[in-house]
Amino acid sequence: MIGGLFIYNHKGEVLISRVYRDDIGRNAVDAFRVNVIHARQQVRSPVTNIARTSFFHVKRSNIWLAAVTKQNVNAAMVFEFLYKMCDVMASYFGKISEENIKNNFVLIYELLDEILDFGYPQNSETGSLKTFITQQGIKGQTKEEQSQITSQVTGQIGWRREGIKYRRNELFLDVLESVNLLMSPQGQVLSAHVSGRVVMKSYLSGMPECKFGMNDKIIIDKAGKGGVTNEAGKSTSGKQSIAIDDCTFNQCVRLSKFDSERSISFIPPDGEYELMRYRTTKDIILPFRVIPLVREVGRTKLEVKVVIKSNFKPSLLAQKIEVRIPTPLNTSGVQVICMKGKAKYKASENAIVWKIKRMAGMKESQISAEIELLPTNDKKKWARPPISMNFEVPFAPSGLKVRYLKVFESKLNYSDHDVIKWVRYIGRSGIYETRC
Amino acid sequence: MTDSKYFTTTKKGEIFELKAELNSDKKEKKKEAVKKVIASMTVGKDVSALFPDVVNCMQTDNLELKKLVYLYLMNYAKSQPDMAIMAVNTFVKDCEDANPLIRALAVRTMGCIRVDKITEYLCEPLRKCLKDEDPYVRKTAAVCVAKLHDINAQLVEDQGFLDTLKDLISDSNPMVVANAVAALSEIAESHPNSNLLDLNPQSINKLLTALNECTEWGQIFILDCLANYTPRDDRESQSICERVTPRLSHANSAVVLSAVKVLMKFMEMLPKDLDYYSTLLKKLAPPLVTLLSAEPELQYVALRNINLIVQKRPEILKHEMKVFFVKYNDPIYVKLEKLDIMIRLASQANIAQVLAELKEYATEVDVDFVRKAVRAIGRCAIKVEQSAERCVSTLLDLIQTKVNYVVQEAIVVIKDIFRKYPNKYESVIATLCENLDSLDEPEARAAMIWIVGEYAERIDNADELLESFLEGFHDESTQVQLQLLTAIVKLFLKKPTETQELVQQVLSLATQDSDNPDLRDRGYIYWRLLSTDPVAAKEVVLAEKPLISEETDLIEPTLLEELICHIGTLASVYHKPPSAFVEGSRGVMHKRLPARTGSGESTESPDVGTAAGGSAPEAAPSIIPSQGDLLGDLLNLDMAPPTTSGPPPPTTGMQMGGMDLLGGGLDSLMGDESEPLGGDIGGSPAMGAGFGAAPAVMPASLNAPVGGGLGDLFDLGGVGMPMGAYIPPKIVWLPAMKAKGLEISGTFARRAGVIQMELILTNKAMSVMTDFAIQFNRNSFGLAPAGPLQVLTPLGPNQTIEVSLPLSTVGPVMKMDPLNNLQVAVKNNIDVFYFSCQYPISMLFVEDGKMERQVFLATWKDIPNDNESQFQIKDCHLNSDAASSKLQGSNIFTIAKRTVEGQDMLYMSIKLSNGIWVLAELRVQAGNPNYTISLKCRAPEVSQCVFQCYEAVLKN
């Protein structure tokens, strides 16, 4: 198991060091600094073995978190734990920075004592941690409160405490998708997938039982066989159902039920959480198409023309559109002409950045640029990185639709109808690249 | 709140000031001071001098302060054991506190203080906490047992904590169960043979129930523990798989990977024709792909594991090539791993896409990545024959870019392509030669030189090219020197007239001016070959090369199996067994995949069926784990090299005088105008040493393969014997896991009066095995090999050879337990391995074992009744005559037969090879399948073994 956990700043100074196992000594702290943080070369692996000691590290801004062990630990678990650790710290004191860590080092030690015991990760849900790791002491608690804390920390529903009350029962549901694309210069889709998340904010009283339904192909097909075909036929919004390649769920979701019936039922945590993640690869709506044209005019000039086309309903508006056209390292000057939005050559980023605030569906826009190059004797050819794009659209590129979200709370007297529900779809660009 | 100020105290006299503050009356000031101490401790300053002052602050109601003091204690208690005792009282008191959080805190901290005296006081509070009413305290106490075990294992056993821990597996709270499982698994690892984690269907069921309810971390502990279990049959295996598959949808990647591990392992047991098997295969792909959208570090772990999974079961991800395409922004470690997997998944169906991608990658910036991409193109060519042509032209395009490292990588892989597809792409040699000057890396230079040497007859100026390399011979790396030597010798054999001088030059450079023994040896070998028998030299040096295999970097099958059992862990990231990087006994136990054992009708292999049917009472072979356990004289074995067993070395050609090595022989090759080269060579002092090594390099293929042995002739149902002696089926004596890839299975037989040990040697490693030899430890009947182990040809990877070894019974005698136990040592070029096996005593029954009737009667009476033992043989459906003739085949002779009241009484005699007589009376009642047998012998200890033989013979 994890033998120790260290946090360093960018210089390699230790900010936090907590040792859990006897086989990890102080020299481990230095070994990591010398061999990884101060290493001359770029780090080639997130797992490093130095003198039979293994170091796992992740970096957040310029802070290094390193877990150390001498055993054959579950490597995936160690990384998951490090991410979790970052989440917990972030939810206590915001950004993970040297300043914040130094300011909260006592708290961090207290957290480390609680969520890692002898190197074994323990309950690390911020919701329940915040009930008893408060930096205020736990003096004032009554016996009932204490046992409530412990039963929640160890219990089956560790993510929700009892006795939550809201005057207004409200639910916010966001379908957030990032659409990823790699396209060849000729417009052939090399790979495309949507990775989506269903993020919820729930403000519900009691211990409500929720059931979430979407246009999952497997469910719809099953229901279709049952004789409800004409209902599905009425739907006019393009695709009726989507094929989900794979999905993962928050730990509140009953996995065995999903496995057997494919229904998503759960008792939600309070406040904001991620209910599920999913991935689709079939019938993706690619909101934009990028058509590049690069011409080398002699050894000192490049002509670039890029057309973007929006490919969704004209009534919808895409926002925050940004096209990034990479330029060679030996660029000396750039002239840009674009019909819409603003374009600028950013020498420090080796790219022309073209920004458009809004663009409706089924439109087209273009940019052309002349790039002047300094003559070099560098034999190596310019690698021509792909043209990348960022945008935000108000629909789900995967075609996912929320069909229902039902809330049942039998003990308190509110019903599904009394809950106010909000649903929103946002599609963003992930890695959306076109080779040129 | 700005605690960061505590980090910035660097003035002198700090310790002194802190001491004063720690002893202050004001609570706030105390707390500030402790924080300063902890901050100093963090940065690595030694604040142990403040120990008593900090411990004094322990008695406090302020939980925050208490936790800080505990943190300090955990760090320094070991260096101040005497003072640490001061803290004991507070701990013991806290363990009784009304607040469960404080009780847990106390027991958690106490377990982290590695001081014997404190540990003693820990036992009582720990016992209480293990049975605490609050689950939070119990889950903490469970982990504490593991802590205590790490400090003092004996104490934990003596105090009975292990049993309490086992009880916690049935706890009502899932988190307690998970922590108990984690603690037990850890303790069990340091006691590999204990049956601590007594996993049985009931406890597995409990774990599976807890799995649905506990935290994500708890699920990992439980899944990792489940992976150590071996289900009894395929049904149990399937039902566990069914309950584990929902975990594949968990958001935590570690849960997913651990579930994959369990499934991959248990799948081994499922029959392949089962519907569920293919369903399971289909279910595994999507979660593995999803892992690739995790954070980069996890992607890396996932990719390293996928690399293993793809090697074990390529069918799972064969349609998922696209997800492994490299993204521009991937960290380099992810890119390199993806590339590896792309090559593994490359097939005829997707090769076009893969090649287009690889070509793209070859123009990237990162040098390592580009190199790997170029190399990958070559590997595709070798793997997918249909694509070879396209790959070669892609490589040529890349060579045209003239980017130095791209060109060099391309040449290295083109060499391999030549090896795979001879006489197909040699037209590109001209292009390669153009780039000769730009090669500055040893591997590329060596590859180029190999190409020039191999195709010397097609390259007009081959001699000039090689000569140009020869100028800086001593500055080259060994790799290049060796290659240059070989290439010039090849060139010489192909064009002897023009290149004598060159070959002479390189031979003297290699043998006289070099201090590298490898180079010198190779030089001498060539020299001698050329001088003794140029025709043979040609045959050896220009021999047809075996084609290279498709996959060059596969993990050895045995290691792969072990790594599959370690999916998700560091071992799977390093691709090394845990013993390679873990110190001490922990995790050194080798894990194996379970064998596919059907529950009855679903067995697929007929072998298994027969083996199970013949219920021969043979004990499972046991491996003698290390040399340390061996009895004295086995250790003293002088393992003879196989030279004595092989055919007589071809000495005829070697009897030439040492002086004129390159003499006459070469003349015939070179024609008349050659001047003798021998003169200045003969005096070389090392000549003699090199001489003896010569036969060793003669390719083994020259000796015609002589596998098997005479014994095989008789294998067809014992043709050479009237009835056929009973031969037990072959069983695995030495699994490959234990013997660096050598698997030995075998049996014993007596054929025409000769005892034979029949062995099947299988090489499951990646390298060739040679130099086999065998010896026995002293044993009960003086068994010893009558000749050397006849393995004449080297055993290549995945090759199998059957050998039969005649045995004599004149070796040294020592009574073994059990009597028929035989300890064997087998040596090969890799190591010496030890195992033990049991032979059926029937092979010691000699042919002249038929006693005279009168002698029998007298002997029967003479042997005291105490020496008589009776046994039952059940379910035997032979009549007495059939039984009698069957037994006779195994040299058990029937002397007389009597029938009393429908019961046949057969009197039989047996003579063992060491002269012991065994007399038997077999009673057979018609219609009753149960025989009764009475054995009488002066050495009653053999009776049990003899009875086993009866049973084995009669039932087969």
Side-chain angles (χ1 to χ4, degrees), chain B residues 302-501:
Chain B
L303 286 165
R304 294 292 283 173
N305 279 288
I306 289 173
N307 198 327
L308 298 173
I309 293 168
V310 164
Q311 288 185 55
K312 181 77 191 156
R313 297 189 180 277
E315 64 271 32
I316 295 178
L317 287 167
K318 66 177 174 202
H319 300 302
E320 302 288 349
M321 171 62 90
K322 278 189 178 176
V323 298
F324 297 103
F325 284 178
V326 170
K327 292 187 192 125
Y328 189 70
N329 295 329
D330 281 336
I332 182 67
Y333 50 81
V334 169
K335 284 185 177 175
L336 293 173
E337 293 306 317
K338 280 187 173 173
L339 204 49
D340 254 343
I341 295 168
M342 279 174 67
I343 303 164
R344 294 216 193 282
L345 292 177
S347 67
Q348 202 183 336
N350 56 26
I351 194 73
Q353 270 184 323
V354 173
L355 264 183
E357 280 295 307
L358 291 176
K359 206 174 166 185
E360 197 74 36
Y361 303 160
T363 61
E364 280 234 28
V365 223
D366 190 287
V367 177
D368 283 350
F369 181 59
V370 172
R371 283 172 178 276
K372 202 162 182 175
V374 175
R375 218 164 256 232
I377 296 174
R379 277 169 65 186
C380 283
I382 290 165
K383 194 172 172 196
V384 185
E385 188 164 358
Q386 293 80 357
S387 75
E389 195 150 350
R390 230 174 324 164
C391 293
V392 172
S393 75
T394 308
L395 286 170
L396 285 179
D397 287 352
L398 289 171
I399 288 176
Q400 298 304 344
T401 64
K402 302 279 177 193
V403 179
N404 188 283
Y405 53 84
V406 174
V407 173
Q408 309 210 38
E409 284 298 325
I411 286 180
V412 172
V413 292
I414 285 180
K415 176 203 67 179
D416 288 343
I417 295 176
F418 284 164
R419 288 282 311 268
K420 172 79 181 176
Y421 309 109
N423 304 320
K424 226 170 161 185
Y425 301 109
E426 281 77 2
S427 53
V428 308
I429 290 175
T431 321
L432 301 185
C433 289
E434 286 166 20
N435 292 286
L436 213 61
D437 300 331
S438 64
L439 308 179
D440 53 11
E441 289 163 20
E443 202 181 354
R445 287 174 83 86
M448 194 61 222
I449 292 170
W450 182 87
I451 292 172
V452 174
E454 186 67 19
Y455 300 100
E457 67 274 25
R458 306 183 195 210
I459 305 170
D460 294 335
N461 60 343
D463 48 345
E464 280 170 39
L465 294 176
L466 292 176
E467 200 169 355
S468 69
F469 280 105
L470 205 56
E471 280 160 22
F473 188 78
H474 289 296
D475 302 329
E476 300 283 3
S477 72
T478 314
Q479 190 183 11
V480 179
Q481 290 176 332
L482 286 169
Q483 217 40 266
L484 197 52
L485 172 62
T486 306
I488 291 180
V489 171
K490 280 183 191 165
L491 173 71
F492 171 68
L493 288 166
K494 287 175 179 177
K495 301 179 179 174
T497 43
E498 309 124 51
T499 54
Q500 289 166 37
E501 221 168 292

Side-chain angles (χ1 to χ4, degrees), chain B residues 811-833:
Chain B
V813 175
M814 184 176 71
K815 195 175 159 192
M816 300 295 289
D817 184 37
L819 208 61
N820 55 347
N821 196 21
L822 181 65
Q823 294 180 329
V824 183
V826 169
K827 190 204 85 143
N828 63 10
N829 57 331
I830 296 165
D831 207 344
V832 183
F833 310 105

Side-chain angles (χ1 to χ4, degrees), chain B residues 55 177 180 196 241 254 346 396 445 477 487 524 526 570 581 602 622-623 667 718 728 886 932 955:
Chain B
V55 172
V177 178
L196 252 187
C241 288
L396 285 179
R445 287 174 83 86
S477 72
Y524 282 127
Y526 282 137
L570 262 181
F581 59 91
S602 51
S622 60
I623 309 304
D667 292 342
K886 202 163 186 181
T932 310
K955 289 192 176 175

